[in-house]
Amino acid sequence: METRISTDVEEAAYHLSKGRVIAIPTETVYGLAADAMNVDAVEEIFRLKNRPFSDPLIVHVSTPEVLERYDIEVPLWAQRLISLFWPGPLTLLLPRGRKIPPLVTAELPRVAVRAPAHPLTQALLNLLPFPIAAPSANPFSHISPTTPLHVYRYFAGKIPFILDGGACPAGIESTIIGEEQGRFILYRPGALAREKIEEALGEKLYSRSAPSVRKPITPGQFPKHYAPKKPLLYGWNSPPVEPNASLILFSGSPQTSHPYTHVLSPEGDLETAASSLYATLHACEEEPTEYIIAQQVPLTGIGESLHDRLRRATSRSLFTIGHSHHSWAEFLSLLQRYEVQAIVDLRRQPHSRFVPHFSQGPLQKALHEHGITYEWQPVPARLLSTIERLLHRYLHIALLCAEGEPHRCHRFRLSDELSEKGFSLFHILPEGHLQLHRAPISLRLSEKD
Ligand code: TXA
Ligand code: MG
């Protein structure tokens, strides 16, 4: 199938009327669109995205008046938000009514609706006698597209048409909110800042707690939604300049000649950073680097949404570090450089006759003084649960071995096993840079403990 990229709204309308799936621009990200009332067309969206049927779709309308026609109830609080923020990047979960096909809402009692602000898609909706169901136009668990080219890379040959609306100005998905038992819930932070909605409602928004994979009754609940193809390490105050990494800085001008450095917003402006985030992640994927290091973003305004996306894109990762080559000062400076927040000591005998500093007592005390948590876990079978527990609180955890040289680390095999379990392992080498661990193809051949 040929995939045409064009600004022709009538051609887009024609494809949709024929029950085909096409890509459309919105102010947030590109969507993979179909006639929301045509069950076969909607099913094709799920198939193309490889998305589970349990994950419902947003219904896009031109104006709020359309909601009535589909029996969608609009309570007072929603009317107020609609009058202030539509068309715009705000999605509301509203009682479904009978007319919206259950496939669209994954049989849930509410339907997600929004009026996109992009002029081309507004024009398109005005040509159509039906609303549009559209998730973001990326394969399930990949980065959302913000340009026609991103969409093309994902779906060339699979869809007939991409409506070319240029780069999406907001750059991250809409904010999703709804009401549950008199409380307003922020299900997904997005391009409209929480504070603006709270001000309009005169109430605080509750955030949805821990994600659950099984029951996506609420949005964005698949824990990993926005994963780039290579490991991403997020949450740095001062990202280390690693030769094999793509670097994403939030603001400022890069103090480095590293060729794969990206600044989301030189002025530190959150809107600008949001509009460039996904394009930057796409670019990092294409670069000849092994992994991505991203600086912490501020948590105010839509910074909350940026943080949410980066956190979801973050891989489960661990560092390893050995102590035997280091003076205490060197060891500490490595921990600080890699912003290690917690250490799990893997040594069977956590004592060091020759270097007393690395014996458990003094080590724990010294780490504590620098705000670094220490745990001793010499039992391999219990390591995973220790790590899982610590990962709830810390992003940067280092496993402490005796030897710094990864190929001599007495627990090197653990690195292989952890990689097999989906962790990205980064060895902090004695000479002071990171090496991404590569697990051997077969774990059994070359191991010794
Ligand atoms: O900005 C956006 O919202 C973009 C553009 C294309 O409009 N769309 C988008 O759709 O991000 P999607 O499918 O990638 O994310 C929508 C989220 C999903 O996490 C889904 O689980 C949730 O909204 N959702 C949709 N309908 C729902 C419903 N009826 N009940 C609960 N959650 C729903
Ligand atoms: Mg999506």
Side-chain angles (χ1 to χ4, degrees):
M1 181 191 298
E2 190 207 347
T3 302
R4 271 177 51 72
I5 304 181
S6 152
T7 56
D8 187 343
V9 177
E10 287 183 8
E11 190 175 343
Y14 172 78
H15 285 296
L16 290 172
S17 313
K18 290 281 175 200
R20 294 177 195 145
V21 175
I22 64 166
I24 57 165
T26 81
E27 76 280 36
T28 59
V29 300
Y30 272 75
L32 206 53
D35 171 356
M37 308 308 283
N38 179 334
V39 176
D40 291 337
V42 172
E43 225 179 276
E44 177 68 3
I45 296 181
F46 284 96
R47 213 182 49 72
L48 280 165
K49 268 191 73 109
N50 200 9
R51 176 168 171 140
F53 287 111
S54 56
D55 195 359
L57 308 181
I58 296 175
V59 173
H60 297 70
V61 296
S62 53
T63 62
E65 288 72 46
V66 179
L67 300 176
E68 250 170 73
R69 250 186 274 151
Y70 294 91
D71 266 4
I72 298 167
E73 204 187 297
V74 187
L76 276 175
W77 62 266
Q79 286 174 26
R80 171 151 184 74
L81 294 181
I82 284 172
S83 70
L84 286 169
F85 300 119
W86 277 20
L90 174 66
T91 296
L92 303 172
L93 290 188
L94 300 177
R96 170 156 70 89
R98 284 157 305 153
K99 291 192 182 153
I100 299 295
L103 178 64
V104 172
T105 62
E107 315 214 350
L108 295 166
R110 291 183 295 181
V111 58
V113 287
R114 85 177 191 96
H118 198 286
L120 277 192
T121 292
Q122 272 290 332
L124 174 63
L125 283 164
N126 284 321
L127 287 178
L128 298 170
F130 48 77
I132 290 176
S136 50
N138 51 286
F140 187 63
S141 93
H142 283 60
I143 308 165
S144 295
T146 55
T147 66
L149 190 62
H150 295 156
V151 182
Y152 189 81
R153 288 208 198 108
Y154 286 142
F155 293 109
K158 295 184 179 144
I159 55 174
F161 192 77
I162 298 170
L163 181 59
D164 183 353
C168 303
I172 53 170
E173 294 87 344
S174 60
T175 303
I176 305 183
I177 76 147
E179 188 247 14
E180 280 179 38
Q181 288 146 2
R183 288 181 169 186
F184 295 107
I185 318 269
L186 176 66
Y187 297 105
R188 178 177 76 183
L192 183 65
R194 161 205 288 275
E195 290 85 341
K196 293 203 176 145
I197 303 171
E198 289 180 337
E199 197 188 317
L201 290 170
E203 281 189 47
K204 287 268 164 229
L205 292 175
Y206 290 81
S207 294
R208 251 299 155 227
S209 56
S212 98
V213 184
R214 287 263 165 81
K215 285 172 69 196
I217 45 166
T218 44
Q221 292 234 325
F222 290 96
K224 247 189 138 176
H225 230 155
Y226 308 93
K229 279 184 262 167
K230 42 180 100 159
L232 183 141
L233 294 171
Y234 169 62
W236 301 88
N237 294 316
S238 322
V241 181
E242 293 293 321
N244 293 324
S246 294
L247 299 181
I248 302 179
L249 305 178
F250 170 64
S251 62
S253 56
Q255 306 286 311
T256 152
S257 57
H258 192 293
Y260 305 115
T261 305
H262 309 260
V263 181
L264 292 178
S265 164
E267 277 79 46
D269 166 58
L270 288 164
E271 265 78 27
T272 310
S275 74
S276 55
L277 177 67
Y278 288 151
T280 302
L281 288 174
H282 280 283
C284 290
E285 278 196 340
E286 302 301 318
E287 289 168 355
T289 52
E290 293 184 333
Y291 55 97
I292 305 165
I293 285 182
Q295 188 173 30
Q296 173 76 37
V297 300
L299 295 176
T300 51
I302 61 165
E304 180 185 15
S305 317
L306 282 166
H307 173 76
D308 172 79
R309 302 306 190 272
L310 281 163
R311 204 177 44 75
R312 284 172 194 280
T314 300
S315 37
R316 281 151 51 93
S317 54
L318 296 165
F319 299 99
T320 71
I321 188 166
H323 69 66
S324 56
H325 295 286
H326 300 297
S327 69
W328 171 252
E330 277 169 0
F331 181 74
L332 184 63
S333 88
L334 282 177
L335 295 184
Q336 288 173 334
R337 167 150 173 208
Y338 291 105
E339 301 185 5
V340 170
Q341 298 154 321
I343 284 227
V344 183
D345 189 345
L346 306 181
R347 296 173 298 170
R348 288 202 187 97
Q349 306 289 334
H351 302 290
S352 180
R353 230 179 326 143
F354 307 108
V355 203
H357 257 115
F358 288 106
S359 288
Q360 191 172 50
L363 178 63
Q364 182 164 12
K365 186 161 171 283
L367 289 173
H368 181 78
E369 276 164 18
H370 289 90
I372 300 170
T373 296
Y374 170 92
E375 289 211 23
W376 182 45
Q377 185 48 274
V379 185
R382 295 204 200 122
L383 181 59
L384 200 56
S385 58
T386 302
I387 292 170
E388 299 282 2
R389 179 167 44 75
L390 288 170
L391 276 173
H392 286 297
R393 296 189 53 195
Y394 307 107
L395 273 172
H396 294 180
I397 300 170
L399 309 179
L400 178 68
C401 310
E403 298 278 354
E405 186 61 47
H407 294 280
R408 288 167 58 201
C409 174
H410 73 301
R411 291 300 168 84
F412 187 60
R413 191 176 66 191
L414 278 175
S415 301
D416 292 339
E417 288 170 1
L418 288 164
S419 306
E420 285 274 297
K421 292 204 161 70
F423 285 90
S424 304
L425 262 292
F426 292 87
H427 301 299
I428 299 176
L429 298 183
E431 57 273 26
H433 63 91
L434 286 184
Q435 180 189 299
L436 177 61
H437 181 76
R438 303 249 170 247
I441 310 241
S442 168
L443 293 182
R444 279 198 207 118
L445 294 178
S446 57
E447 251 63 62
K448 40 183 185 333
D449 200 2

